[in-house]
Amino acid sequence: MSRGSEWGRWDLHVHTKSTAKNDQFGSISFEDYCIQLFKKALERDIKTIGITDYFSIENYKKVKKFQDEINDQAQFNDDEKKLISKILILPNMELRISPSTGAGSLINLHLIFNPSKIEAIENQILNHIQMVHGNGNKYQLNEYGLKSLGRLYLSEDQLNDQNLALKKGVEQFCIPHTELIEVFEANNNLRSEILVFVANGDNDGVSGLKSHEEILQQQQASAFSLRNSIYQLTDGLFSAKPSDHKYFLGH
């Protein structure tokens, strides 16, 4: 029997314990965090969860491992374990891209990966995304590259602190959207395995580029063209504004 579309409640923007920025989960262990995550997902009938972190999918891997081993967890009954095993867990990497908005923030962009293609995406996409620093060196979008970048901002007595180096690297890493376009074009076979979402607000979204209109016109460039180029890179927008919904549907 043929079936049509089915509605499901998704949450594609869930940060975890040990998220790279603004971790406010306190002293809870990662395992206890996962227990609470899936209890809430069952309560609210969530079908898909996007595990989100800045410039990394390591916490996604930890949550997926917990889900894969759900039968070993005594905190859930058999029916709950079956439901948890059916929840789709997606890796969602949160990036910051330039240029900055009129509010002085970098643009918030998310890459949601096909979980069955993680190894290929890490090796062919993420390891080839690079930030060019003012010192002329390039830093890759992986743990080694982020730590190397972060050490540039540490004092000599802090250089051996791996966690601090990674934190500083995450704070500093950003790329122009054209870097993503070039990497995607060079690995076109994987482009369909990645969904790109961008924020559309005035603070850290594409709409915030409107305040650059006058400057760009003076430079004989078009803010419209810049915004349009970013929109063309993406598959969807993060926006809670009904006006955005109508605008992008052509109404």
Side-chain angles (χ1 to χ4, degrees):
M1 183 177 72
S2 62
R3 301 177 65 175
S5 300
E6 295 183 6
W7 287 100
R9 180 175 290 177
W10 293 23
D11 191 339
L12 292 178
H13 193 174
V14 178
H15 284 271
T16 69
K17 167 70 178 177
S18 302
T19 188
K21 285 185 179 182
N22 201 26
D23 180 0
Q24 298 186 18
F25 290 100
S27 59
I28 187 173
S29 68
F30 202 93
E31 181 177 354
D32 287 339
Y33 166 83
C34 289
I35 291 169
Q36 294 301 316
L37 172 71
F38 284 109
K39 282 185 179 293
K40 292 293 185 182
L42 292 177
E43 288 175 12
R44 300 175 185 180
D45 194 26
I46 303 295
K47 302 298 186 184
T48 299
I49 302 173
I51 298 299
T52 307
D53 204 0
Y54 301 91
F55 311 106
S56 173
I57 57 173
E58 293 307 308
N59 287 333
Y60 154 79
K61 293 178 181 178
K62 293 179 183 178
V63 173
K64 189 66 177 72
K65 183 175 185 293
F66 182 93
Q67 184 194 40
D68 291 342
E69 298 173 353
I70 195 63
N71 288 329
D72 298 333
Q73 294 293 329
Q75 292 84 358
F76 302 97
N77 61 42
D78 289 344
D79 289 337
E80 289 173 330
K81 290 176 181 178
K82 289 179 182 178
L83 291 172
I84 290 172
S85 66
K86 293 179 180 179
I87 296 174
L88 177 61
I89 309 296
L90 296 174
N92 178 3
M93 179 181 285
E94 187 166 349
L95 303 180
R96 293 293 184 265
I97 63 171
S98 58
S100 63
T101 67
S105 298
L106 294 168
I107 294 172
N108 185 339
L109 185 134
H110 292 249
L111 304 179
I112 300 177
F113 305 133
N114 179 345
S116 68
K117 301 292 184 179
I118 288 299
E119 184 177 4
I121 289 171
E122 284 186 304
N123 286 289
Q124 293 179 236
I125 300 292
L126 302 184
N127 286 340
H128 292 276
I129 295 174
Q130 300 179 89
M131 173 183 174
V132 180
H133 191 267
N135 61 11
N137 292 330
K138 296 181 179 180
Y139 297 89
Q140 291 178 311
L141 181 53
N142 54 33
E143 184 172 331
Y144 177 82
L146 290 169
K147 286 180 178 179
S148 299
L149 174 63
R151 290 189 188 97
L152 299 177
Y153 299 89
L154 299 182
S155 60
E156 188 171 345
D157 61 322
Q158 296 174 323
L159 291 177
N160 292 326
D161 189 328
Q162 302 295 318
N163 291 329
L164 185 58
L166 182 60
K167 180 180 178 181
K168 287 294 184 181
V170 167
E171 290 175 358
Q172 298 297 325
F173 196 93
C174 71
I175 55 172
H177 76 285
T178 51
E179 172 74 8
L180 277 179
I181 293 174
E182 291 175 3
V183 172
F184 286 161
E185 288 179 347
N187 299 274
N188 193 50
N189 60 312
L190 288 174
R191 178 62 183 91
S192 62
E193 311 296 343
I194 303 171
L195 291 175
V196 183
F197 287 83
V198 69
N200 199 53
D202 292 332
N203 183 37
D204 62 352
V206 185
S207 291
L209 295 174
K210 288 187 292 187
S211 59
H212 289 338
E213 186 94 38
E214 190 172 321
I215 296 174
L216 289 171
Q217 285 178 348
Q218 291 173 355
Q219 297 173 344
Q220 296 184 334
S222 169
F224 175 81
S225 296
L226 175 59
R227 293 196 303 273
N228 197 43
S229 177
I230 296 174
Y231 287 140
Q232 288 179 349
L233 169 66
T234 64
D235 300 293
L237 301 173
F238 286 139
S239 175
K241 293 182 179 180
S243 58
D244 281 348
H245 183 260
K246 292 180 180 178
Y247 176 82
F248 287 100
L249 287 177
H251 298 163

